[in-house]
Amino acid sequence: QVQLVEFGGGLVQAGGSLRLSCTASGLAFDDLPMGWFRQAPGKEREAVSCISYNAESTLYTDSVKGRFTISRDNAKNTLYLQMNSLKPEDTAMYYCGAPDDLDARCRVADFGYWGQGTQVTVSS
């Protein structure tokens, strides 16, 4: 049974930082690309960042480039998202996602396993 558990969300002022963590179990974590996604109220879930199985390749949505950094520790089955220079428009529920197969692209449709989410709220 696949389990993804996110930690680290909270309330922060604009310009502040948060670090999200996601621990994974029940899957071959070190064989899979992983991703962070977010969903704001009234909006569709969107991909924020993805990382290859060996961390050699990362992708970011344009709005977070230069501010967010995705990383992973395969020995700990843990995925991270360091978020700096946060903006009010980053406010959303953030989800850790695992894909259905090894060739997944960084998009919601290719990811079939989700955590419960962690809320990030950025005040202006």
Side-chain angles (χ1 to χ4, degrees), residues 10-68:
L11 173 64
V12 64
Q13 287 188 329
S17 297
L18 286 172
R19 189 193 195 204
L20 305 184
S21 301
C22 169
T23 57
S25 60
L27 74 170
F29 183 83
D30 51 2
D31 287 339
L32 292 170
M34 294 290 294
W36 286 101
F37 299 77
R38 66 186 179 187
Q39 187 166 15
K43 295 188 176 181
E44 293 187 352
R45 190 170 299 188
E46 64 171 351
V48 175
S49 181
C50 293
I51 187 168
S52 62
Y53 74 100
N54 58 3
E56 289 186 357
S57 177
T58 57
L59 292 172
Y60 298 92
T61 192
D62 285 347
S63 63
V64 308
K65 285 180 180 176
R67 299 189 298 121
F68 290 11

Side-chain angles (χ1 to χ4, degrees), residues 5-10 17-23 36-38 48 68-71 78-83 86 92-96 117-120:
V5 182
E6 301 97 336
F7 302 93
S17 297
L18 286 172
R19 189 193 195 204
L20 305 184
S21 301
C22 169
T23 57
W36 286 101
F37 299 77
R38 66 186 179 187
V48 175
F68 290 11
T69 302
I70 192 171
S71 61
T78 302
L79 179 70
Y80 303 99
L81 186 68
Q82 178 67 42
M83 305 186 295
L86 282 160
M93 186 71 80
Y94 282 70
Y95 297 91
C96 170
T118 186
Q119 179 67 39
V120 172

